[in-house]
Amino acid sequence: MATEISVLLPVYNEEENLPSVIEELDGVLKGIGPPYEMIVVDDGSKDGSPAVLEKLVLKYPNLKAIFFRINRGQTAAFDAGFRHAEGRIIVTMDADMQNDPRDIPKMLKMIDDGYDFVVGWRKNRKDGFVLRKLPSRIANWIIRRVTKTKIHDLGCSLKVYKKEITDELRLYGEMHRFIGVLCESAGGRVGELVVNHRPRVAGTSKYNLSRTVKVILDLITIWFLRSYETKPIYVFGGIAVGLFGLGSLMSMYVLWEKYMLEVWVHRNPLFILAVICFVLSAQFIALGLLAELIIRTYFESQAKRPYSVSHRLGFKNTPAG
């Protein structure tokens, strides 16, 4: 019987939590009914996690494991899990026991109700305020303002997807926290569910404030991809037009000063600034044209389309792509 549900767990130094989280998750999935698999992606753990996983795979027939040679981050672990998953529905969650597997059936019900992607909302989060909750709230607020997403908790790993959504995702950097935004951009129907969040009882958190810079840089990337993925000339060209206009205004003012106030050009720094604006304007136009060529190469080299089809009706043959 074909696998219906695939649950992905990225792991990095969680040897104390692995036996408990797999046992609890396996019990919940057995109660749901459809055929399932659990895929643990070990992200180059330096503790005993790989050895624990090797024993657990022998104990649980539905458990599979992927081992990275070195640490590549949670985003890479999710991406590897997506590529190996066989289920029609994909579930992701952390292996630190803070996500509650008993929330999975409720999220699956939302998928059955027509959602393409369901994200958990840790409304009553059991983490430290200064180092975890406060930075997370600030980051979520900034991301919502920039991307216009309605999702409250972009950092929650407990998520459920239809496989056609994950098949289209290509994740880099720290992009896993922006999956909801990417799904919205593709036109997916996104749902949100308040989930139970539990305090960590073993192991140590892998999150720290150094990730803030990475999130900000990834946010800029997401903003660009969401708004201008297929039309980068609008960004670079817009900047070029602005610089050209600014240079033109300064040039006219320089001419006015020369003929009305007798301020010579070689004594006027505005002339140099105007020339710089014209040069930068030409450079941004060139960048925009190069970006357009790169975008076309990106799509055409993979036979990739700049749109996502929800479903088709009335066609005898499915078009290629």
Side-chain angles (χ1 to χ4, degrees):
M1 189 177 295
T3 301
E4 183 73 8
I5 301 170
S6 297
V7 183
L8 314 181
L9 296 92
V11 167
Y12 182 67
N13 295 343
E14 294 287 358
E15 62 175 323
E16 297 174 74
N17 288 313
L18 274 172
S20 299
V21 72
I22 296 300
E23 180 181 9
E24 184 180 22
L25 178 60
D26 189 62
V28 170
L29 293 174
K30 281 181 179 177
I32 294 174
Y36 65 91
E37 64 178 359
M38 299 175 289
I39 301 177
V40 178
V41 184
D42 182 79
D43 187 20
S45 294
K46 294 181 173 62
D47 64 352
S49 295
V52 172
L53 269 176
E54 289 174 2
K55 294 179 181 178
L56 290 173
V57 168
L58 298 176
K59 181 178 179 182
Y60 295 92
N62 297 90
L63 179 62
K64 303 173 182 178
I66 301 169
F67 299 90
F68 285 1
R69 290 188 174 89
I70 58 176
N71 179 252
R72 288 298 186 184
Q74 193 174 28
T75 299
F78 278 139
D79 192 72
F82 290 152
R83 304 308 144 222
H84 286 79
E86 298 177 0
R88 180 182 66 87
I89 304 297
I90 312 296
V91 181
T92 61
M93 60 179 287
D94 285 330
D96 56 11
M97 294 292 292
Q98 291 195 268
N99 293 144
D100 191 342
R102 289 172 295 184
D103 287 316
I104 294 176
K106 291 177 283 186
M107 300 176 83
L108 292 174
K109 175 63 168 56
M110 293 179 69
I111 294 291
D112 291 337
D113 290 340
Y115 287 98
D116 299 303
F117 169 74
V118 179
V119 58
W121 177 9
R122 298 166 297 180
K123 197 170 185 178
N124 186 23
R125 187 172 176 177
K126 300 298 192 300
D127 281 319
F129 181 77
V130 175
L131 295 179
R132 298 293 301 278
K133 292 168 71 173
L134 180 61
S136 179
R137 288 177 183 176
I138 294 173
N140 283 323
W141 181 82
I142 293 173
I143 294 170
R144 285 199 300 270
R145 294 284 292 182
V146 172
T147 65
K148 310 301 181 185
T149 182
K150 295 180 180 178
I151 299 173
H152 291 85
D153 188 359
L154 290 147
C156 181
S157 292
L158 185 55
K159 300 180 176 76
V160 180
Y161 321 69
K162 288 183 177 177
K163 194 174 192 303
E164 52 263 35
I165 293 293
T166 62
D167 285 344
E168 294 184 8
L169 290 174
R170 293 296 182 270
L171 304 177
Y172 307 93
E174 295 286 331
M175 291 291 189
H176 65 277
R177 68 182 64 251
F178 297 104
I179 289 176
V181 178
L182 295 172
C183 290
E184 286 178 330
S185 299
R189 188 181 176 200
V190 178
E192 190 172 33
L193 178 73
V194 175
V195 296
N196 180 37
H197 191 248
R198 306 180 292 196
R200 178 184 274 270
V201 295
T204 58
S205 173
K206 314 306 182 297
Y207 294 90
N208 53 59
L209 294 178
S210 66
R211 290 199 173 189
T212 304
V213 176
K214 298 178 182 178
V215 171
I216 292 173
L217 295 175
D218 283 332
L219 176 59
I220 295 172
T221 303
I222 289 296
W223 165 80
F224 181 82
L225 292 176
R226 185 181 174 108
S227 303
Y228 303 103
E229 180 184 22
T230 59
K231 45 186 183 293
I233 189 65
Y234 291 178
V235 176
F236 298 107
I239 296 173
V241 170
L243 289 169
F244 185 84
L246 181 61
S248 298
L249 289 174
M250 286 192 290
S251 297
M252 288 187 288
Y253 186 72
V254 167
L255 287 173
W256 181 83
E257 285 189 319
K258 180 181 186 303
Y259 290 109
M260 301 300 295
L261 304 178
E262 296 185 352
V263 177
W264 294 97
V265 171
H266 69 278
R267 294 179 181 176
N268 196 335
L270 284 179
F271 177 72
I272 303 299
L273 291 176
V275 171
I276 291 173
C277 285
F278 289 135
V279 172
L280 288 176
S281 176
Q283 289 179 331
F284 272 102
I285 284 290
L287 281 174
L289 294 173
L290 287 173
E292 288 285 328
L293 292 174
I294 291 170
I295 285 296
R296 282 156 174 73
T297 302
Y298 167 73
F299 280 104
E300 293 175 14
S301 64
Q302 306 175 76
K304 187 178 175 66
R305 299 290 181 261
Y307 53 81
S308 178
V309 175
S310 172
H311 57 283
R312 301 178 177 92
L313 293 175
F315 288 94
K316 294 181 179 179
N317 298 311
T318 302

